[in-house]
Amino acid sequence: MIDRENALKLLAENGATPSLLQHARASEAVMRALAARFDEDVEIWGLTGLLHDLDFPETAENPARHGLDSADMLQGQLPDDALQAIRAHNGEMNGCEPGTRFDYALRCGETVTGLISAAALMRPAGYEGMETKSIRKKMKDKAFAHNVCRANIRQCENAGLELDEFLGLAIRAMAEMKE
């Protein structure tokens, strides 16, 4: 299995921009927190979050391949359930629908990072003191971070968490990320 250091090298080798790397790290943090909450393998879930968009520099113009190519590139380096979660995180575009807790956790976990990051940019204190209710309010504002799919975030319930618990967990995970 790939380790974190080599995962970061792989991202760099495949053209990850600073913003994509920030998203990958935020997704990793949320996935690690979700794994701990569900008593799953924190390392595997974290690496899955970190690497889920590995193919994005190549598939940005071909969303029907996004997730599928990442899984192909990571064959033999992550377990099959992690590869399936990577495929399913973009199921609406590539036809690989989510079915497991892991699949839904990655879909909602990587999506919520955009909403929380945008909210942090709007606040003088960033993540510090951010509350679940403020993110819930931002979810209702369709103009705020308009490209973030709120339906994917709500799929946290398919993973086994109520929305408020999920948002709180994600906020804490992102606030605790090491720079």
Side-chain angles (χ1 to χ4, degrees):
M1 185 171 87
I2 193 167
D3 61 22
R4 188 172 190 277
E5 181 179 335
N6 285 314
L8 289 168
K9 286 180 187 174
L10 192 57
L11 284 164
E13 290 168 4
N14 283 278
T17 62
S19 62
L20 181 58
L21 187 56
Q22 175 63 21
H23 169 66
R25 290 182 61 249
S27 298
E28 174 191 23
V30 172
M31 288 299 290
R32 286 179 179 278
L34 286 167
R37 168 63 175 78
F38 294 131
D39 198 27
E40 297 287 349
D41 188 313
V42 172
E43 194 63 23
I44 290 171
W45 281 45
L47 287 168
T48 302
L50 186 64
L51 292 168
H52 77 282
D53 279 343
L54 177 63
D55 66 12
F56 190 76
E58 293 297 319
T59 62
E61 300 300 319
N62 185 9
R65 292 298 311 163
H66 179 52
L68 302 177
D69 289 358
S70 289
D72 289 347
M73 294 163 74
L74 293 165
Q75 192 68 43
Q77 298 184 72
L78 287 175
D80 288 342
D81 61 341
L83 298 177
Q84 172 57 25
I86 289 171
R87 288 182 199 99
H89 94 275
N90 188 38
E92 61 277 4
M93 298 300 289
N94 67 23
C96 187
E97 293 300 318
T100 68
R101 172 179 278 173
F102 199 173
D103 298 349
Y104 285 109
L106 182 58
R107 281 176 65 82
C108 67
E110 72 94 12
T111 303
V112 79
T113 64
L115 191 68
I116 294 171
S117 294
L121 290 172
M122 303 292 292
R123 303 177 75 246
Y127 298 107
E128 187 180 327
M130 186 181 289
E131 295 182 10
T132 300
K133 67 181 180 181
S134 67
I135 298 302
R136 212 180 226 293
K137 185 176 179 182
K138 296 290 188 197
M139 281 186 68
K140 293 177 184 175
D141 181 356
K142 301 289 189 226
F144 182 80
H146 69 278
N147 59 333
V148 174
C149 181
R150 273 77 166 154
N152 282 6
I153 294 172
R154 288 185 194 95
Q155 288 181 354
C156 63
E157 294 181 358
N158 295 86
L161 290 178
E162 294 296 323
L163 183 59
D164 283 347
E165 182 181 1
F166 171 65
L167 293 175
L169 178 145
I171 291 166
R172 287 188 302 279
M174 291 177 67
E176 293 170 3
M177 275 188 339
K178 292 181 175 75
E179 289 302 323

